Amino acid sequence: MSERLQPGDTAPAFTLPDADGKEVSLASYRGRKVIVYFYPAALTPGCTKQACDFTDNLQLLADASYDVIGVSPDKPEKLAKFREQESLEVTLVGDPSKETLTAYGAFGEKKLYGKTVTGVIRSTVVVNEDGTVERALYNVKATGHVAKIIKDLGI
């Protein structure tokens, strides 16, 4: 089981391909706050709801100096299809090796329909301008989560 991050930890660095195959690096967001959210799979109902919620609130978050990056184990081609099919504006990156998911504590054992399985743990990590973890939320719900983050961050 991967270790969960705590406020004050240094956010693990990553460089992952986006829906267009271009590399997105956490380091390039230095000086801005970033909401990095981890979701199991593109084109699934819960993940679609969550991505649409982030897209719907992207301007509000940007106005409060937050950028948003969604991370899943999907390949860029599937992310591109997801983005186009749902008109998503949030940056989506793929982590097929699951190294970044594991580094953030977002991959491991979880309960799914009463069974223990290994997979992506729906999680959100808020990273400060200096690259430290401000908040780390695990086992979050797809529905209503973005509204809760906005409220918790005082936006």
Side-chain angles (χ1 to χ4, degrees):
M1 178 107 167
S2 51
E3 284 293 310
R4 292 186 170 185
L5 297 175
Q6 300 295 323
D9 288 349
T10 298
F14 64 81
T15 301
L16 297 168
D18 70 6
D20 299 314
K22 295 187 182 100
E23 295 203 329
V24 173
S25 179
L26 182 62
S28 66
Y29 288 86
R30 206 55 164 217
R32 298 227 357 126
K33 293 182 179 184
V34 187
I35 297 170
V36 184
Y37 80 96
F38 300 89
Y39 63 99
L43 301 167
T44 58
C47 298
T48 298
K49 175 74 178 124
Q50 190 176 23
C52 288
D53 281 354
F54 271 117
T55 293
D56 292 347
N57 289 285
L58 212 51
Q59 190 58 56
L60 178 71
L61 291 164
D63 290 348
S65 300
Y66 287 92
D67 292 313
V68 180
I69 302 172
V71 182
S72 73
D74 298 308
K75 291 185 165 53
E77 303 78 36
K78 188 173 180 187
L79 295 175
K81 184 177 179 188
F82 187 34
R83 180 185 63 198
E84 277 135 42
Q85 188 172 311
E86 301 299 334
S87 302
L88 301 173
E89 294 174 23
V90 64
T91 300
L92 301 173
V93 298
D95 180 25
S97 72
K98 301 175 187 73
E99 284 178 35
T100 299
L101 287 156
T102 301
Y104 275 79
F107 187 82
E109 283 189 0
K110 64 179 184 172
K111 293 272 187 212
L112 188 64
Y113 305 112
K115 288 190 219 163
T116 300
V117 297
T118 300
V120 176
I121 299 162
R122 193 180 301 278
S123 311
T124 301
V125 176
V126 180
V127 181
N128 281 333
E129 300 92 336
D130 64 0
T132 60
V133 174
E134 180 181 322
R135 294 167 191 264
L137 309 162
Y138 294 92
N139 296 310
V140 301
K141 301 270 182 249
T143 304
H145 179 60
V146 175
K148 183 181 180 336
I149 290 172
I150 289 168
K151 183 176 176 244
D152 289 352
L153 294 174
I155 300 171

